[in-house]
Amino acid sequence: DAGVIQSPRHEVTEMGQEVTLRCKPISGHNSLFWYRQTMMRGLELLIYFNNNVPIDDSGMPEDRFSAKMPNASFSTLKIQPSEPRDSAVYFCASSSIWLAGGRDTQYFGPGTRLTVL
Amino acid sequence: GIQVEQSPPDLILQEGANSTLRCNFSDSVNNLQWFHQNPWGQLINLFYIPSGTKQNGRLSATTVATERYSLLYISSSQTTDSGVYFCAVGLTSGTYKYIFGTGTRLKVLA
């Protein structure tokens, strides 16, 4: 398996522009997580999906952020409009969660480094 | 909410030395993972260890869930071990969130 795939790897944009980050989870995994990493706040969970349904979006910083998972093999994180304080590395991770309450190892993608000027 | 604390925050070692990294958590968890973030920023799974002890080469980990801590042992350290080590805990109730610790930054000198 190719692992979790994210695109683009780097994104530089100007304040006010729309930014879309993409993620393809590992085939067979039923849960997907979006994280943001900054020096100040470390690794923060933004949102996670289980079976393509958003389960917990309490980490999404504000309405400018939205995430979708239209099918089991694709998810997007969109920022509109972007601001300089959104500059960070955004990671996508996938895992398996079972109905009995167990879960498997979480695997991370390479991340997208976003710079908003 | 649950607190996840890692110690030490920074560590400098000479190549060949051994080290122990600690992760303390303030509430019950049913899952714990250790990750290594290399200097290129990639997060690499080391251990999935909700309890007990595991070993993988020069690395081993022990989690004592009842006492709310986990330890990561690195033996005969190499320069390629440099980076940041994170523990992440999964909560027991109502959510499949992982909460990450603040990390231990390790630098191994040749």
mmCIF file of all heavy atoms in Angstrom, chain A residues 25-68:
data_model
loop_
_atom_site.group_PDB
_atom_site.id
_atom_site.type_symbol
_atom_site.label_atom_id
_atom_site.label_comp_id
_atom_site.label_asym_id
_atom_site.label_seq_id
_atom_site.Cartn_x
_atom_site.Cartn_y
_atom_site.Cartn_z
ATOM 1 N N PRO A 25 -6.853 8.191 2.145
ATOM 2 C CA PRO A 25 -6.457 7.301 3.246
ATOM 3 C C PRO A 25 -5.988 5.947 2.738
ATOM 4 O O PRO A 25 -6.114 5.636 1.554
ATOM 5 C CB PRO A 25 -7.751 7.169 4.047
ATOM 6 C CG PRO A 25 -8.838 7.336 3.029
ATOM 7 C CD PRO A 25 -8.305 8.323 2.038
ATOM 8 N N ILE A 26 -5.467 5.157 3.641
ATOM 9 C CA ILE A 26 -5.061 3.794 3.314
ATOM 10 C C ILE A 26 -6.318 2.976 3.007
ATOM 11 O O ILE A 26 -7.311 3.048 3.746
ATOM 12 C CB ILE A 26 -4.268 3.165 4.469
ATOM 13 C CG1 ILE A 26 -2.907 3.877 4.602
ATOM 14 C CG2 ILE A 26 -4.076 1.670 4.274
ATOM 15 C CD1 ILE A 26 -2.101 3.464 5.811
ATOM 16 N N SER A 27 -6.250 2.232 1.925
ATOM 17 C CA SER A 27 -7.382 1.416 1.516
ATOM 18 C C SER A 27 -7.775 0.443 2.629
ATOM 19 O O SER A 27 -6.919 -0.236 3.217
ATOM 20 C CB SER A 27 -7.010 0.639 0.248
ATOM 21 O OG SER A 27 -8.052 -0.224 -0.132
ATOM 22 N N GLY A 28 -9.081 0.414 2.923
ATOM 23 C CA GLY A 28 -9.569 -0.490 3.966
ATOM 24 C C GLY A 28 -9.747 0.168 5.319
ATOM 25 O O GLY A 28 -10.456 -0.372 6.181
ATOM 26 N N HIS A 29 -9.127 1.316 5.520
ATOM 27 C CA HIS A 29 -9.324 2.034 6.768
ATOM 28 C C HIS A 29 -10.673 2.730 6.749
ATOM 29 O O HIS A 29 -11.112 3.242 5.720
ATOM 30 C CB HIS A 29 -8.218 3.062 6.988
ATOM 31 C CG HIS A 29 -6.938 2.458 7.458
ATOM 32 N ND1 HIS A 29 -5.817 3.224 7.713
ATOM 33 C CD2 HIS A 29 -6.600 1.172 7.734
ATOM 34 C CE1 HIS A 29 -4.841 2.430 8.131
ATOM 35 N NE2 HIS A 29 -5.292 1.184 8.139
ATOM 36 N N ASN A 30 -11.351 2.768 7.910
ATOM 37 C CA ASN A 30 -12.680 3.364 7.938
ATOM 38 C C ASN A 30 -12.732 4.673 8.711
ATOM 39 O O ASN A 30 -13.803 5.228 8.922
ATOM 40 C CB ASN A 30 -13.707 2.381 8.508
ATOM 41 C CG ASN A 30 -13.446 2.032 9.972
ATOM 42 O OD1 ASN A 30 -12.489 2.499 10.580
ATOM 43 N ND2 ASN A 30 -14.313 1.213 10.533
ATOM 44 N N SER A 31 -11.583 5.152 9.184
ATOM 45 C CA SER A 31 -11.593 6.431 9.884
ATOM 46 C C SER A 31 -10.462 7.311 9.365
ATOM 47 O O SER A 31 -9.394 6.818 8.990
ATOM 48 C CB SER A 31 -11.465 6.237 11.398
ATOM 49 O OG SER A 31 -10.273 5.585 11.730
ATOM 50 N N LEU A 32 -10.730 8.614 9.358
ATOM 51 C CA LEU A 32 -9.776 9.579 8.820
ATOM 52 C C LEU A 32 -9.733 10.792 9.742
ATOM 53 O O LEU A 32 -10.770 11.253 10.225
ATOM 54 C CB LEU A 32 -10.190 9.996 7.405
ATOM 55 C CG LEU A 32 -9.258 10.963 6.669
ATOM 56 C CD1 LEU A 32 -9.162 10.584 5.191
ATOM 57 C CD2 LEU A 32 -9.682 12.397 6.839
ATOM 58 N N PHE A 33 -8.523 11.271 9.985
ATOM 59 C CA PHE A 33 -8.297 12.354 10.935
ATOM 60 C C PHE A 33 -7.520 13.472 10.240
ATOM 61 O O PHE A 33 -6.573 13.214 9.503
ATOM 62 C CB PHE A 33 -7.452 11.856 12.124
ATOM 63 C CG PHE A 33 -8.029 10.691 12.872
ATOM 64 C CD1 PHE A 33 -7.943 9.411 12.353
ATOM 65 C CD2 PHE A 33 -8.660 10.869 14.081
ATOM 66 C CE1 PHE A 33 -8.469 8.321 13.029
ATOM 67 C CE2 PHE A 33 -9.185 9.787 14.781
ATOM 68 C CZ PHE A 33 -9.088 8.516 14.251
ATOM 69 N N TRP A 34 -7.912 14.717 10.507
ATOM 70 C CA TRP A 34 -7.157 15.888 10.063
ATOM 71 C C TRP A 34 -6.552 16.559 11.299
ATOM 72 O O TRP A 34 -7.263 16.860 12.268
ATOM 73 C CB TRP A 34 -8.040 16.891 9.338
ATOM 74 C CG TRP A 34 -8.364 16.549 7.918
ATOM 75 C CD1 TRP A 34 -9.525 16.025 7.437
ATOM 76 C CD2 TRP A 34 -7.519 16.745 6.770
ATOM 77 N NE1 TRP A 34 -9.454 15.865 6.069
ATOM 78 C CE2 TRP A 34 -8.226 16.306 5.643
ATOM 79 C CE3 TRP A 34 -6.234 17.255 6.600
ATOM 80 C CZ2 TRP A 34 -7.703 16.352 4.340
ATOM 81 C CZ3 TRP A 34 -5.707 17.307 5.322
ATOM 82 C CH2 TRP A 34 -6.427 16.857 4.214
ATOM 83 N N TYR A 35 -5.228 16.797 11.244
ATOM 84 C CA TYR A 35 -4.496 17.459 12.322
ATOM 85 C C TYR A 35 -3.804 18.701 11.774
ATOM 86 O O TYR A 35 -3.514 18.809 10.586
ATOM 87 C CB TYR A 35 -3.398 16.548 12.890
ATOM 88 C CG TYR A 35 -3.860 15.346 13.665
ATOM 89 C CD1 TYR A 35 -4.130 14.152 13.010
ATOM 90 C CD2 TYR A 35 -3.994 15.397 15.046
ATOM 91 C CE1 TYR A 35 -4.529 13.027 13.724
ATOM 92 C CE2 TYR A 35 -4.384 14.278 15.772
ATOM 93 C CZ TYR A 35 -4.646 13.097 15.101
ATOM 94 O OH TYR A 35 -5.040 11.997 15.811
ATOM 95 N N ARG A 36 -3.517 19.606 12.697
ATOM 96 C CA ARG A 36 -2.711 20.774 12.369
ATOM 97 C C ARG A 36 -1.556 20.840 13.359
ATOM 98 O O ARG A 36 -1.746 20.607 14.567
ATOM 99 C CB ARG A 36 -3.567 22.048 12.470
ATOM 100 C CG ARG A 36 -2.813 23.326 12.195
ATOM 101 C CD ARG A 36 -3.751 24.513 12.110
ATOM 102 N NE ARG A 36 -4.364 24.853 13.384
ATOM 103 C CZ ARG A 36 -5.159 25.900 13.558
ATOM 104 N NH1 ARG A 36 -5.437 26.691 12.541
ATOM 105 N NH2 ARG A 36 -5.681 26.158 14.736
ATOM 106 N N GLN A 37 -0.366 21.139 12.860
ATOM 107 C CA GLN A 37 0.805 21.236 13.736
ATOM 108 C C GLN A 37 1.429 22.614 13.611
ATOM 109 O O GLN A 37 1.781 23.057 12.505
ATOM 110 C CB GLN A 37 1.847 20.166 13.410
ATOM 111 C CG GLN A 37 3.020 20.146 14.396
ATOM 112 C CD GLN A 37 4.008 19.033 14.107
ATOM 113 O OE1 GLN A 37 4.247 18.674 12.966
ATOM 114 N NE2 GLN A 37 4.577 18.468 15.167
ATOM 115 N N THR A 38 1.571 23.292 14.741
ATOM 116 C CA THR A 38 2.267 24.570 14.818
ATOM 117 C C THR A 38 3.231 24.523 15.989
ATOM 118 O O THR A 38 3.094 23.686 16.894
ATOM 119 C CB THR A 38 1.297 25.747 15.018
ATOM 120 O OG1 THR A 38 0.599 25.544 16.265
ATOM 121 C CG2 THR A 38 0.299 25.850 13.893
ATOM 122 N N MET A 39 4.191 25.429 15.957
ATOM 123 C CA MET A 39 5.149 25.483 17.072
ATOM 124 C C MET A 39 4.438 25.832 18.371
ATOM 125 O O MET A 39 4.753 25.289 19.430
ATOM 126 C CB MET A 39 6.230 26.519 16.772
ATOM 127 C CG MET A 39 7.204 26.098 15.701
ATOM 128 S SD MET A 39 8.188 24.692 16.207
ATOM 129 C CE MET A 39 9.190 25.441 17.498
ATOM 130 N N MET A 40 3.469 26.730 18.275
ATOM 131 C CA MET A 40 2.823 27.227 19.497
ATOM 132 C C MET A 40 1.874 26.202 20.109
ATOM 133 O O MET A 40 1.794 26.067 21.335
ATOM 134 C CB MET A 40 2.052 28.514 19.183
ATOM 135 C CG MET A 40 2.944 29.692 18.879
ATOM 136 S SD MET A 40 3.948 30.167 20.296
ATOM 137 C CE MET A 40 2.693 30.747 21.422
ATOM 138 N N ARG A 41 1.137 25.478 19.270
ATOM 139 C CA ARG A 41 0.052 24.636 19.776
ATOM 140 C C ARG A 41 0.300 23.144 19.595
ATOM 141 O O ARG A 41 -0.515 22.332 20.018
ATOM 142 C CB ARG A 41 -1.260 25.038 19.102
ATOM 143 C CG ARG A 41 -1.643 26.496 19.362
ATOM 144 C CD ARG A 41 -2.881 26.872 18.554
ATOM 145 N NE ARG A 41 -4.053 26.154 19.032
ATOM 146 C CZ ARG A 41 -4.870 26.594 19.980
ATOM 147 N NH1 ARG A 41 -4.640 27.761 20.551
ATOM 148 N NH2 ARG A 41 -5.918 25.886 20.340
ATOM 149 N N GLY A 42 1.421 22.797 18.981
ATOM 150 C CA GLY A 42 1.720 21.376 18.799
ATOM 151 C C GLY A 42 0.777 20.735 17.793
ATOM 152 O O GLY A 42 0.294 21.388 16.871
ATOM 153 N N LEU A 43 0.506 19.458 17.997
ATOM 154 C CA LEU A 43 -0.383 18.697 17.118
ATOM 155 C C LEU A 43 -1.806 18.755 17.670
ATOM 156 O O LEU A 43 -2.075 18.288 18.768
ATOM 157 C CB LEU A 43 0.059 17.244 17.047
ATOM 158 C CG LEU A 43 0.991 16.868 15.917
ATOM 159 C CD1 LEU A 43 1.700 15.562 16.223
ATOM 160 C CD2 LEU A 43 0.242 16.760 14.606
ATOM 161 N N GLU A 44 -2.712 19.308 16.865
ATOM 162 C CA GLU A 44 -4.108 19.445 17.278
ATOM 163 C C GLU A 44 -4.994 18.672 16.310
ATOM 164 O O GLU A 44 -4.852 18.805 15.089
ATOM 165 C CB GLU A 44 -4.568 20.892 17.196
ATOM 166 C CG GLU A 44 -3.778 21.902 17.957
ATOM 167 C CD GLU A 44 -4.308 23.289 17.635
ATOM 168 O OE1 GLU A 44 -3.873 23.864 16.617
ATOM 169 O OE2 GLU A 44 -5.164 23.787 18.386
ATOM 170 N N LEU A 45 -5.946 17.918 16.857
ATOM 171 C CA LEU A 45 -6.937 17.258 16.022
ATOM 172 C C LEU A 45 -7.998 18.277 15.611
ATOM 173 O O LEU A 45 -8.588 18.956 16.453
ATOM 174 C CB LEU A 45 -7.600 16.112 16.784
ATOM 175 C CG LEU A 45 -8.705 15.373 16.040
ATOM 176 C CD1 LEU A 45 -8.141 14.623 14.841
ATOM 177 C CD2 LEU A 45 -9.429 14.413 16.971
ATOM 178 N N LEU A 46 -8.232 18.386 14.315
ATOM 179 C CA LEU A 46 -9.240 19.321 13.823
ATOM 180 C C LEU A 46 -10.599 18.634 13.695
ATOM 181 O O LEU A 46 -11.614 19.143 14.167
ATOM 182 C CB LEU A 46 -8.824 19.881 12.458
ATOM 183 C CG LEU A 46 -7.497 20.637 12.424
ATOM 184 C CD1 LEU A 46 -7.181 21.074 10.988
ATOM 185 C CD2 LEU A 46 -7.548 21.854 13.341
ATOM 186 N N ILE A 47 -10.616 17.474 13.047
ATOM 187 C CA ILE A 47 -11.862 16.767 12.792
ATOM 188 C C ILE A 47 -11.529 15.315 12.499
ATOM 189 O O ILE A 47 -10.426 15.016 12.023
ATOM 190 C CB ILE A 47 -12.624 17.396 11.600
ATOM 191 C CG1 ILE A 47 -13.985 16.740 11.374
ATOM 192 C CG2 ILE A 47 -11.783 17.356 10.326
ATOM 193 C CD1 ILE A 47 -14.855 17.478 10.347
ATOM 194 N N TYR A 48 -12.472 14.406 12.807
ATOM 195 C CA TYR A 48 -12.290 13.056 12.319
ATOM 196 C C TYR A 48 -13.608 12.487 11.795
ATOM 197 O O TYR A 48 -14.691 12.899 12.213
ATOM 198 C CB TYR A 48 -11.617 12.143 13.343
ATOM 199 C CG TYR A 48 -12.479 11.571 14.442
ATOM 200 C CD1 TYR A 48 -13.143 10.357 14.296
ATOM 201 C CD2 TYR A 48 -12.572 12.224 15.660
ATOM 202 C CE1 TYR A 48 -13.894 9.824 15.322
ATOM 203 C CE2 TYR A 48 -13.318 11.697 16.697
ATOM 204 C CZ TYR A 48 -13.981 10.495 16.530
ATOM 205 O OH TYR A 48 -14.730 9.957 17.550
ATOM 206 N N PHE A 49 -13.454 11.579 10.842
ATOM 207 C CA PHE A 49 -14.561 10.918 10.174
ATOM 208 C C PHE A 49 -14.509 9.418 10.488
ATOM 209 O O PHE A 49 -13.422 8.843 10.602
ATOM 210 C CB PHE A 49 -14.452 11.055 8.642
ATOM 211 C CG PHE A 49 -14.564 12.454 8.131
ATOM 212 C CD1 PHE A 49 -13.467 13.306 8.136
ATOM 213 C CD2 PHE A 49 -15.764 12.926 7.622
ATOM 214 C CE1 PHE A 49 -13.560 14.608 7.649
ATOM 215 C CE2 PHE A 49 -15.873 14.224 7.126
ATOM 216 C CZ PHE A 49 -14.768 15.064 7.142
ATOM 217 N N ASN A 50 -15.685 8.828 10.603
ATOM 218 C CA ASN A 50 -15.783 7.384 10.685
ATOM 219 C C ASN A 50 -16.801 6.929 9.649
ATOM 220 O O ASN A 50 -17.937 7.447 9.636
ATOM 221 C CB ASN A 50 -16.193 6.936 12.086
ATOM 222 C CG ASN A 50 -16.171 5.421 12.247
ATOM 223 O OD1 ASN A 50 -17.127 4.804 12.683
ATOM 224 N ND2 ASN A 50 -15.076 4.812 11.887
ATOM 225 N N ASN A 51 -16.395 6.019 8.780
ATOM 226 C CA ASN A 51 -17.266 5.595 7.675
ATOM 227 C C ASN A 51 -17.809 6.791 6.896
ATOM 228 O O ASN A 51 -19.011 6.865 6.588
ATOM 229 C CB ASN A 51 -18.410 4.709 8.195
ATOM 230 C CG ASN A 51 -17.894 3.386 8.727
ATOM 231 O OD1 ASN A 51 -16.969 2.801 8.175
ATOM 232 N ND2 ASN A 51 -18.470 2.923 9.827
ATOM 233 N N ASN A 52 -16.932 7.746 6.622
ATOM 234 C CA ASN A 52 -17.198 8.928 5.798
ATOM 235 C C ASN A 52 -18.075 9.969 6.492
ATOM 236 O O ASN A 52 -18.405 10.996 5.890
ATOM 237 C CB ASN A 52 -17.843 8.574 4.449
ATOM 238 C CG ASN A 52 -17.126 7.455 3.731
ATOM 239 O OD1 ASN A 52 -15.960 7.200 3.978
ATOM 240 N ND2 ASN A 52 -17.837 6.772 2.845
ATOM 241 N N VAL A 53 -18.463 9.739 7.730
ATOM 242 C CA VAL A 53 -19.332 10.664 8.448
ATOM 243 C C VAL A 53 -18.500 11.455 9.459
ATOM 244 O O VAL A 53 -17.735 10.853 10.224
ATOM 245 C CB VAL A 53 -20.453 9.901 9.184
ATOM 246 C CG1 VAL A 53 -21.301 10.856 10.013
ATOM 247 C CG2 VAL A 53 -21.316 9.130 8.190
ATOM 248 N N PRO A 54 -18.639 12.799 9.466
ATOM 249 C CA PRO A 54 -17.886 13.559 10.476
ATOM 250 C C PRO A 54 -18.415 13.255 11.870
ATOM 251 O O PRO A 54 -19.621 13.359 12.121
ATOM 252 C CB PRO A 54 -18.143 15.023 10.070
ATOM 253 C CG PRO A 54 -19.403 14.990 9.279
ATOM 254 C CD PRO A 54 -19.453 13.659 8.601
ATOM 255 N N ILE A 55 -17.518 12.859 12.772
ATOM 256 C CA ILE A 55 -17.928 12.450 14.103
ATOM 257 C C ILE A 55 -17.657 13.552 15.129
ATOM 258 O O ILE A 55 -18.474 13.814 16.004
ATOM 259 C CB ILE A 55 -17.191 11.159 14.526
ATOM 260 C CG1 ILE A 55 -17.473 10.034 13.529
ATOM 261 C CG2 ILE A 55 -17.583 10.752 15.941
ATOM 262 C CD1 ILE A 55 -18.938 9.672 13.386
ATOM 263 N N ASP A 56 -16.507 14.170 15.024
ATOM 264 C CA ASP A 56 -16.131 15.188 15.999
ATOM 265 C C ASP A 56 -15.379 16.292 15.279
ATOM 266 O O ASP A 56 -14.270 16.062 14.798
ATOM 267 C CB ASP A 56 -15.258 14.571 17.094
ATOM 268 C CG ASP A 56 -14.978 15.519 18.258
ATOM 269 O OD1 ASP A 56 -14.991 16.752 18.044
ATOM 270 O OD2 ASP A 56 -14.751 15.037 19.375
ATOM 271 N N ASP A 57 -15.979 17.463 15.192
ATOM 272 C CA ASP A 57 -15.324 18.602 14.541
ATOM 273 C C ASP A 57 -15.048 19.706 15.553
ATOM 274 O O ASP A 57 -14.883 20.871 15.179
ATOM 275 C CB ASP A 57 -16.152 19.126 13.375
ATOM 276 C CG ASP A 57 -17.491 19.706 13.831
ATOM 277 O OD1 ASP A 57 -17.808 19.606 15.025
ATOM 278 O OD2 ASP A 57 -18.215 20.244 12.983
ATOM 279 N N SER A 58 -14.974 19.339 16.816
ATOM 280 C CA SER A 58 -14.797 20.356 17.859
ATOM 281 C C SER A 58 -13.453 21.065 17.776
ATOM 282 O O SER A 58 -13.273 22.132 18.350
ATOM 283 C CB SER A 58 -14.971 19.723 19.249
ATOM 284 O OG SER A 58 -14.027 18.697 19.441
ATOM 285 N N GLY A 59 -12.518 20.480 17.070
ATOM 286 C CA GLY A 59 -11.209 21.096 16.928
ATOM 287 C C GLY A 59 -11.096 22.059 15.756
ATOM 288 O O GLY A 59 -10.078 22.749 15.624
ATOM 289 N N MET A 60 -12.108 22.135 14.936
ATOM 290 C CA MET A 60 -12.071 23.063 13.804
ATOM 291 C C MET A 60 -12.092 24.481 14.363
ATOM 292 O O MET A 60 -13.025 24.856 15.073
ATOM 293 C CB MET A 60 -13.265 22.830 12.888
ATOM 294 C CG MET A 60 -13.237 21.460 12.234
ATOM 295 S SD MET A 60 -12.024 21.353 10.930
ATOM 296 C CE MET A 60 -13.083 21.593 9.513
ATOM 297 N N PRO A 61 -11.098 25.294 14.014
ATOM 298 C CA PRO A 61 -10.933 26.576 14.713
ATOM 299 C C PRO A 61 -12.069 27.568 14.476
ATOM 300 O O PRO A 61 -12.417 28.310 15.382
ATOM 301 C CB PRO A 61 -9.599 27.095 14.197
ATOM 302 C CG PRO A 61 -9.262 26.290 13.002
ATOM 303 C CD PRO A 61 -10.012 25.021 13.079
ATOM 304 N N GLU A 62 -12.618 27.624 13.312
ATOM 305 C CA GLU A 62 -13.695 28.563 13.051
ATOM 306 C C GLU A 62 -14.372 28.214 11.730
ATOM 307 O O GLU A 62 -13.978 27.271 11.047
ATOM 308 C CB GLU A 62 -13.159 29.991 13.038
ATOM 309 C CG GLU A 62 -11.894 30.181 12.226
ATOM 310 C CD GLU A 62 -11.203 31.495 12.556
ATOM 311 O OE1 GLU A 62 -11.634 32.527 12.007
ATOM 312 O OE2 GLU A 62 -10.248 31.480 13.339
ATOM 313 N N ASP A 63 -15.406 28.985 11.433
ATOM 314 C CA ASP A 63 -16.227 28.656 10.261
ATOM 315 C C ASP A 63 -15.474 28.742 8.942
ATOM 316 O O ASP A 63 -15.970 28.252 7.923
ATOM 317 C CB ASP A 63 -17.448 29.586 10.202
ATOM 318 C CG ASP A 63 -18.402 29.314 11.347
ATOM 319 O OD1 ASP A 63 -18.256 28.257 11.991
ATOM 320 O OD2 ASP A 63 -19.283 30.150 11.582
ATOM 321 N N ARG A 64 -14.338 29.327 8.954
ATOM 322 C CA ARG A 64 -13.556 29.418 7.714
ATOM 323 C C ARG A 64 -13.035 28.038 7.301
ATOM 324 O O ARG A 64 -12.647 27.839 6.151
ATOM 325 C CB ARG A 64 -12.385 30.381 7.895
ATOM 326 C CG ARG A 64 -12.783 31.819 8.173
ATOM 327 C CD ARG A 64 -11.569 32.726 8.221
ATOM 328 N NE ARG A 64 -10.660 32.391 9.314
ATOM 329 C CZ ARG A 64 -9.484 31.775 9.136
ATOM 330 N NH1 ARG A 64 -9.076 31.450 7.921
ATOM 331 N NH2 ARG A 64 -8.714 31.503 10.185
ATOM 332 N N PHE A 65 -13.032 27.109 8.234
ATOM 333 C CA PHE A 65 -12.534 25.759 7.984
ATOM 334 C C PHE A 65 -13.713 24.821 7.741
ATOM 335 O O PHE A 65 -14.700 24.847 8.483
ATOM 336 C CB PHE A 65 -11.737 25.241 9.184
ATOM 337 C CG PHE A 65 -10.376 25.851 9.339
ATOM 338 C CD1 PHE A 65 -10.224 27.176 9.722
ATOM 339 C CD2 PHE A 65 -9.239 25.096 9.119
ATOM 340 C CE1 PHE A 65 -8.962 27.744 9.871
ATOM 341 C CE2 PHE A 65 -7.969 25.644 9.277
ATOM 342 C CZ PHE A 65 -7.834 26.968 9.653
ATOM 343 N N SER A 66 -13.588 23.981 6.716
ATOM 344 C CA SER A 66 -14.596 22.958 6.479
ATOM 345 C C SER A 66 -13.908 21.712 5.939
ATOM 346 O O SER A 66 -12.855 21.799 5.301
ATOM 347 C CB SER A 66 -15.662 23.447 5.493
ATOM 348 O OG SER A 66 -15.077 23.737 4.241
ATOM 349 N N ALA A 67 -14.491 20.556 6.218
ATOM 350 C CA ALA A 67 -13.921 19.291 5.746
ATOM 351 C C ALA A 67 -15.035 18.408 5.232
ATOM 352 O O ALA A 67 -16.147 18.422 5.768
ATOM 353 C CB ALA A 67 -13.155 18.587 6.869
ATOM 354 N N LYS A 68 -14.691 17.648 4.201
ATOM 355 C CA LYS A 68 -15.646 16.721 3.611
ATOM 356 C C LYS A 68 -14.975 15.382 3.347
ATOM 357 O O LYS A 68 -13.759 15.306 3.163
ATOM 358 C CB LYS A 68 -16.201 17.277 2.296
ATOM 359 C CG LYS A 68 -17.036 18.524 2.450
ATOM 360 C CD LYS A 68 -17.587 18.976 1.105
ATOM 361 C CE LYS A 68 -18.444 20.227 1.254
ATOM 362 N NZ LYS A 68 -18.986 20.698 -0.032
#
